Amino acid sequence: MQMKLREWMWSYFFIGPNLLFLFVFLVFPLFYTFYLSFFEADIYSSTFVGFDNFSSLFGEELFLKAFVNTFYFVLIIVPCVIVISLVIAAFMQGFHKVSKSFFRLMFYLPVVSTPVVLSLVWAWMYNPSFGIIKYFSEVLGFGSVDVFSGQLSAILALSGIVVTWMVGQPIILYLSGMDGVPKDLYEAAEIDGAGALRTFFSITLPMISHTTLLIVITSTISVFQIFVVIHLITGGGPFHGTESLVYTIYRTAFVSLEFGKASAQSVILFFIILIISLLQFRLMKTKLD
């Protein structure tokens, strides 16, 4: 009994710092955000207003625009990440082991790099005065192009930037999923005379469907939290055309200092992500069953 108690104490001694970190920086802020969303709060004072923060948001044009913009990012980025990573993984599947490891490393490097650095590099490349994209655009005869001058082009440009650093992890997951497909299925398809495309769509794609659903869920959650690339490159412009929900929350809290309203926006975003994730998990469970 004493030995079990000692083991119990030592186990909590080692996990204690992580539990404390989790509580201080995740659990407590989460519950405090829910609490603060019912108040009209700034730095100096707070007044209980009930659901007024929530009701006012749905009539606010800027919040609704940020809501729509966020869905635009999701609808553009997530399918692109799925298709591009799947195609690249399919091509890499036939590579030699050393070559495959090298390209795994190359595609995964942006995943472990700082989004701030990547965003600044892309901002330099897209610069309408001296960027490398401007240079090649002029060389090809298209003239100087400022992709961030219009809402659609700005959303597409930002989406392309995010895709470049999001495909790394899905490629690794797809490669692992493809390695797990039984080889005898490919041998049977080869005997039956099935071509490479028929084999891919009839065998590989169905066998890695659970991997695809996992990538869809994680990518959707990530894109709903898009912030850094918007903050550093467009600042939500032009005319709030690229402003996302997270960027609106940031501006409401740290520019306008309306912490109660920002908390209400965060709660709405939390439930949007929760509902979409539950629906996707339900779909994944149905597919796996």
Side-chain angles (χ1 to χ4, degrees):
M1 183 67 183
Q2 187 176 1
M3 182 64 70
K4 289 184 178 180
L5 179 61
R6 186 179 301 173
E7 291 177 356
W8 179 84
M9 290 177 62
W10 274 109
S11 63
Y12 276 94
F13 173 77
F14 284 112
I15 69 173
N18 284 333
L19 287 176
L20 180 63
F21 182 88
L22 184 68
F23 178 80
V24 172
F25 293 103
L26 184 63
V27 177
F28 174 73
L30 178 63
F31 282 100
Y32 189 69
T33 299
F34 276 87
Y35 167 79
L36 200 60
S37 65
F38 297 104
F39 289 81
E40 183 180 332
D42 54 27
I43 296 178
Y44 305 104
S45 62
S46 61
T47 305
F48 181 78
V49 293
F51 289 94
D52 287 356
N53 285 329
F54 294 95
S55 59
S56 64
L57 286 176
F58 290 103
E60 188 176 296
E61 184 180 352
L62 181 57
F63 179 76
L64 294 177
K65 190 168 187 177
F67 181 85
V68 173
N69 289 342
T70 303
F71 272 94
Y72 282 157
F73 282 118
V74 172
L75 293 175
I76 295 170
I77 295 173
V78 175
C80 287
V81 168
I82 298 296
V83 173
I84 293 173
S85 58
L86 181 59
V87 171
I88 293 175
F91 275 108
M92 288 176 58
Q93 189 64 17
F95 287 3
H96 186 270
K97 186 176 180 180
V98 176
S99 300
K100 191 185 292 186
S101 299
F102 172 77
F103 283 106
R104 268 185 177 144
L105 175 63
M106 290 298 101
F107 282 113
Y108 198 73
L109 277 177
V111 179
V112 297
S113 300
T114 307
V116 173
V117 174
L118 296 173
S119 297
L120 291 175
V121 170
W122 278 100
W124 175 83
M125 292 174 64
Y126 272 119
N127 190 285
S129 300
F130 53 81
I132 192 171
I133 293 177
K134 169 188 177 293
Y135 170 77
F136 282 111
S137 175
E138 292 178 344
V139 168
L140 295 173
F142 295 108
S144 181
V145 178
D146 183 6
V147 295
F148 299 116
S149 60
Q151 179 182 3
L152 179 59
S153 59
I155 287 179
L156 292 175
L158 292 179
S159 299
I161 293 171
V162 176
V163 167
T164 58
W165 72 56
M166 279 188 64
V167 294
Q169 191 169 30
I171 289 173
I172 304 298
L173 293 174
Y174 271 131
L175 284 172
S176 300
M178 291 176 184
D179 288 339
V181 178
K183 303 301 180 186
D184 54 351
L185 294 178
Y186 293 121
E187 294 171 359
E190 187 178 354
I191 293 172
D192 290 339
L197 284 176
R198 180 63 183 274
T199 302
F200 177 77
F201 284 104
S202 299
I203 297 176
T204 306
L205 206 54
M207 293 296 291
I208 61 172
S209 60
H210 57 288
T211 304
T212 300
L213 288 169
L214 174 64
I215 294 170
V216 169
I217 292 171
T218 55
S219 299
T220 302
I221 294 173
S222 297
V223 177
F224 263 108
Q225 301 175 68
I226 185 172
F227 170 76
V228 173
V229 68
I230 295 173
H231 180 56
L232 294 177
I233 297 181
T234 65
F239 305 107
H240 305 287
T242 59
E243 191 159 327
S244 66
L245 284 174
V246 174
Y247 191 74
T248 299
I249 294 168
Y250 160 77
R251 285 171 56 87
T252 304
F254 299 107
V255 178
S256 302
L257 301 179
E258 298 178 86
F259 298 115
K261 186 177 178 181
S263 298
Q265 293 171 341
S266 302
V267 170
I268 292 173
L269 177 61
F270 170 82
F271 279 109
I272 291 172
I273 295 175
L274 178 64
I275 292 170
I276 292 177
S277 300
L278 290 175
L279 289 174
Q280 290 175 330
F281 273 116
R282 181 65 180 269
L283 177 61
M284 179 171 13
K285 187 177 184 299
T286 304
K287 290 284 186 181
L288 293 178
D289 291 342

